[in-house]
Amino acid sequence: QVALVESGGGLVQAGGSLRLSCAASGRIFSMYTMGWFRQAPGEEREFVGAIRWSGGSTYYADSVKGRFTISRDNAKNTVYLQMNSLKPDDTAVYTCAADTGTGSYTRWGQGTQVTVSS
């Protein structure tokens, strides 16, 4: 199994930046895609972006394209979400997830809170 642990959340002013980390452990070789999701209070969970573990191709939701960047460090088994030009609407719990080749995200982290003040 793959275990995921996020870190890096916090409080930031609008226009600021944060970098979230998602450290993976366990059956790393089975990971196919790592994704980031977010959920604001009272809202449904929203896809933010994803990265292929092999090759590094990235995909982003339109709402974050050009502001957020996903990268990975294979040596550290860690995926990053660099968030720039943050807006109050970006306030949410951010969670990373792993697709181990099934086509679905089956492994989830515990989430980290990001709060953007206006």
Side-chain angles (χ1 to χ4, degrees):
Q1 299 285 15
V2 173
L4 305 173
V5 178
E6 302 97 335
S7 60
L11 173 65
V12 64
Q13 288 188 330
S17 299
L18 276 177
R19 189 178 79 158
L20 306 183
S21 300
C22 175
S25 61
R27 296 170 61 91
I28 305 299
F29 63 87
S30 68
M31 292 201 301
Y32 185 66
T33 304
M34 291 289 290
W36 284 98
F37 294 79
R38 67 185 182 185
Q39 187 168 21
E43 302 289 335
E44 293 190 354
R45 186 167 59 202
E46 174 189 19
F47 172 78
V48 174
I51 186 167
R52 296 289 191 207
W53 193 252
S54 176
S57 298
T58 53
Y59 313 87
Y60 299 97
D62 288 342
S63 58
V64 306
K65 201 172 293 183
R67 299 189 298 123
F68 291 11
T69 303
I70 297 175
S71 61
R72 77 197 192 290
D73 184 332
N74 287 6
K76 295 182 178 180
N77 295 328
T78 299
V79 171
Y80 303 99
L81 178 64
Q82 177 66 45
M83 305 185 292
N84 299 328
S85 302
L86 283 162
K87 308 173 183 179
D89 284 349
D90 295 318
T91 295
V93 174
Y94 285 71
T95 306
C96 64
D99 168 10
T100 56
T102 64
S104 299
Y105 291 97
T106 56
R107 306 301 299 175
W108 295 82
Q110 82 285 358
T112 185
Q113 177 70 46
V114 171
T115 303
V116 184
S117 62
S118 58

